[in-house]
Amino acid sequence: MASVLVWLVRLCGLVGWAAGVVACVWLLGVAPMSHPWNGPLVWGGVAAGCAAVRVVALWSLRLMGEDGPPGPGGASPGSGVSLEKGARKSGAVRSGAGKPGAPWPWTDDSALWIKGRTVAVWLLVGLAAGAMFGCLMSMQSNDRIERLRDAGAEVGPARVVGEPLRVRPERDDEDRVKGYASRLTLAVAGGRARVLVKGAYTYDRPRAGTPVQVLWSRSRPELGGYVNESRDLPALAAGRWKPFPDDDQGRAALFAFVLVTVVFGLVMAAVFSLAPDPDALQERAWSAWAQTVRGLFVAGLYLAWRPILLGQEANLVSLLFAGGGFVLILLVYAFTTGF
């Protein structure tokens, strides 16, 4: 029974890691798509489920008095090493693979395997943090686009009819004008009806006759339109998976992803994987307490993101937890790694 639980822990770790990678990759390019975002929803659920099953298996091992994987040389769990502090023989992890009875480089007691496994976990943590941050930055702030897309939206040329209303300059952090928000009435090429656009964003101040590109529905012009020169309108109209669209928000999301994943993810992977002793890393990997904290956090993070993935209205706690998830995941895994 203990052997089955040990392999269940390993299998859940592998499947959960792979599902987490797929969910994060999906999350990078779902912003132009309509809800629900089934890709990250399903694969994120698999990752959270594997984390929960892994915790149950670890606690079952602990109750049976088996706190770790098989010992050196592939012994059964019953004769394997305990991962309680001081229970492992000094130097067991660092034994050379070429010595009699020493572990192979890819076994649980190999320092190379333990370090590599920890690096893989931290690479996923960095990817998850970057994907969440990038997705939040590239998401549209209203549901007008989804209503237009559901009505068969298309992108076409148009011109401003009459004087724009409620023209308001948008400024950057240095108080320089970066664009204008206004309310426009448009004459769309090939369309007879006038299209009203609230909150249109243009780089130059709009005037009567100014040409613009508009996202609108030919069959339902009463829905109005969407004008935003900082967004990739064809990508929004297509509604397909596309990471980092060629617009201002897409470029900002790419920068955020690189910053969080590469700078924080890789740096923390190096610090928390290479610096700690392999014994300490192995102990944390098979610690029921440490993995329970991680499992609860992964499950909570998935539940916080679930309303966002489904396109439902999320409560304040869910929004705060999901919005700060890219920082929390780094902190939780750092505090549960230990030196």
Side-chain angles (χ1 to χ4, degrees):
M1 181 61 183
S3 178
V4 173
L5 291 173
V6 166
W7 280 104
L8 181 61
V9 171
R10 291 169 171 160
L11 182 62
C12 286
L14 178 61
V15 175
W17 186 90
V21 170
V22 176
C24 292
V25 172
W26 262 105
L27 200 60
L28 286 173
V30 295
M33 300 173 60
S34 295
H35 290 94
W37 294 337
N38 291 320
L41 180 68
V42 172
W43 287 103
V46 172
C50 286
V53 174
R54 190 168 185 268
V55 168
V56 172
L58 285 170
W59 277 107
S60 299
L61 279 172
R62 185 179 179 88
L63 292 175
M64 295 173 62
E66 300 290 344
D67 297 326
S76 65
S79 59
V81 297
S82 172
L83 293 180
E84 294 295 331
K85 289 186 177 179
R88 296 177 60 93
K89 292 182 180 180
S90 176
V93 174
R94 291 173 288 280
S95 299
K99 297 179 181 179
W104 292 96
W106 54 83
T107 59
D108 278 309
D109 268 8
S110 163
L112 179 63
W113 164 253
I114 293 171
K115 296 278 189 178
R117 180 184 62 195
T118 309
V119 168
V121 171
W122 271 103
L123 290 178
L124 175 57
V125 170
L127 175 63
M132 285 186 287
F133 195 18
C135 180
L136 289 172
M137 292 196 66
S138 58
M139 286 170 54
Q140 59 258 20
S141 57
N142 57 65
D143 59 354
R144 189 192 324 171
I145 296 173
E146 290 199 24
R147 291 199 301 268
L148 290 170
R149 196 156 44 204
D150 292 341
E154 61 184 81
V155 179
R159 60 182 178 83
V160 178
V161 177
E163 287 299 319
L165 302 176
R166 302 176 184 175
V167 179
R168 183 182 70 256
E170 298 284 337
R171 301 180 182 275
D172 58 20
D173 295 336
E174 299 179 357
D175 203 34
R176 294 178 301 188
V177 176
K178 62 178 183 178
Y180 295 88
S182 59
R183 182 171 182 171
L184 306 176
T185 301
L186 303 178
V188 183
R192 297 180 180 178
R194 295 289 188 262
V195 176
L196 178 64
V197 179
K198 300 178 181 179
Y201 179 80
T202 56
Y203 291 127
D204 298 322
R205 189 181 186 92
R207 305 181 186 282
T210 298
V212 295
Q213 292 288 315
V214 61
L215 179 70
W216 72 300
S217 171
R218 189 178 298 273
S219 60
R220 297 191 61 188
E222 68 275 8
L223 291 177
Y226 181 77
V227 173
N228 193 327
E229 294 184 343
S230 69
R231 300 298 304 271
D232 186 350
L233 296 186
L236 294 177
R240 293 192 295 267
W241 182 87
K242 185 177 182 180
F244 314 122
D246 187 20
D247 54 32
D248 289 355
Q249 285 181 283
R251 288 185 286 272
L254 176 59
F255 175 78
F257 173 76
V258 172
L259 177 66
V260 174
T261 302
V262 176
V263 176
F264 290 99
L266 293 184
V267 169
M268 296 182 83
V271 171
F272 289 101
S273 301
L274 304 180
D277 185 85
D279 283 341
L281 293 176
Q282 183 76 327
E283 182 181 349
R284 291 295 185 272
W286 290 84
S287 167
W289 287 108
Q291 298 306 316
T292 297
V293 173
R294 292 184 177 185
L296 289 174
F297 174 77
V298 170
L301 194 60
Y302 175 72
L303 293 176
W305 268 86
R306 192 172 181 274
I308 298 175
L309 299 176
L310 290 172
Q312 300 173 350
E313 185 176 355
N315 57 41
L316 180 60
V317 175
S318 179
L319 288 175
L320 290 175
F321 197 52
F326 69 96
V327 174
L328 293 174
I329 192 171
L330 296 172
L331 295 177
V332 167
Y333 273 76
F335 284 130
T336 54
T337 295
F339 286 91

